Amino acid sequence: MAQIQTQQQEFEADLVVDRCESVAEDVIVLDLVHPDGQPLPAWAPGAHIDLVLAPEITRQYSLCGTPGATTHYTVGILREPNGRGGSQLAHETIEKGTSIRVRGPRNHFQLVPAPRYVFIAGGIGITPILPMIAEAGAAGADWSLLYGGRSEASMAFADDLRAHGDRVTLLPGTDIAPMSQALDARLGTPLADTLVYACGPEGLLAAVEGRCASWPSGSLHLERFSPKPSDDSENVAFEVALARSGITITVPADRSIFDAVQDNGISVLGSCHEGVCGTCETVIVDLDGEVDHRDSVLNDEEKASNETMMVCVSRCRSGRITLDL
Ligand code: FES
């Protein structure tokens, strides 16, 4: 289970783009350095940082450089013409020398030590997997990678990955049948001492989740870029006691806990406000009711434990909750 470290101050600084390079169709890679050459906070594979691309546009990007490197942070950005505008803005405005506000790093996709890994990536989902492969290799673990993309030209880092020989299976093309067959072959039977790490579009992650349903609990680790769909139509108001602040507030049906807490003048960390980044993770001190976990960060085990919740999207279905705020 992920270590619980919530609602702590985190690194925030204006970093400078030291490299801005196109590495595949619609994919740029940035190296970000401290303007004074200071070392950056340490990180581990699976970590991501926030890039504040404009006052109202903050996006999360996985660190994809050499594991633990503190001289610079490396991220890959896919241009998504039908996205919400962040990646488009990044591609249009960032160049070598650009200053960008950065927050983090934080990690909800840690690589748990294991003798063997199955890595699965779709498109830009390869970015968190790259340092994982390096770390797994350095630890002497056995590993394999399935990497799909809409075309060979769009698959960032494919040439580097080919150097790993038959550990790596590249599946370019829009036909989903080859990936589907490869997932059946790789995940159809649970393997002992093996962890599965997957990052990519929702369709791929759902396919991986389905095939891993019979694997031992804790085998599958996913990272989502976008929130799982959720239904707000049956939201109800509920009470939240704030243990450190000593007050109890009502969260209306049309407000999040995050908003209601802020409305009461209490500061709470947040970034994506859609349950994918993990910044707002808050410890549940006491629960007299049922939490409706709606985030895409915690795994099933973590949700069932009700130790923490993402207050930007998760709610209470009934009763009352006490939070460490
Ligand atoms: Fe990103 Fe809540 S602010 S998960």
Side-chain angles (χ1 to χ4, degrees), residues 102-119:
V102 172
R103 289 194 293 254
R106 56 187 91 92
N107 197 340
H108 291 275
F109 193 41
Q110 290 104 335
L111 190 68
V112 176
R116 191 173 306 106
Y117 299 97
V118 175
F119 296 117

Side-chain angles (χ1 to χ4, degrees), residues 3-8 10 48 50 60 105-109 223-224 258 268-283 295-298 308-313:
Q3 196 182 2
I4 299 171
Q5 278 190 327
T6 65
Q7 292 295 330
Q8 300 185 354
E10 59 182 6
H48 68 259
D50 284 351
Q60 289 72 43
R106 56 187 91 92
N107 197 340
H108 291 275
F109 193 41
E223 176 144 277
R224 288 188 150 82
F258 186 100
V268 47
L269 287 179
S271 178
C272 71
H273 303 283
E274 54 184 13
V276 296
C277 77
T279 313
C280 69
E281 185 173 17
T282 301
V283 169
D295 64 275
S296 305
V297 177
L298 300 177
T308 67
M309 69 190 294
M310 303 301 151
V311 293
C312 66
V313 290

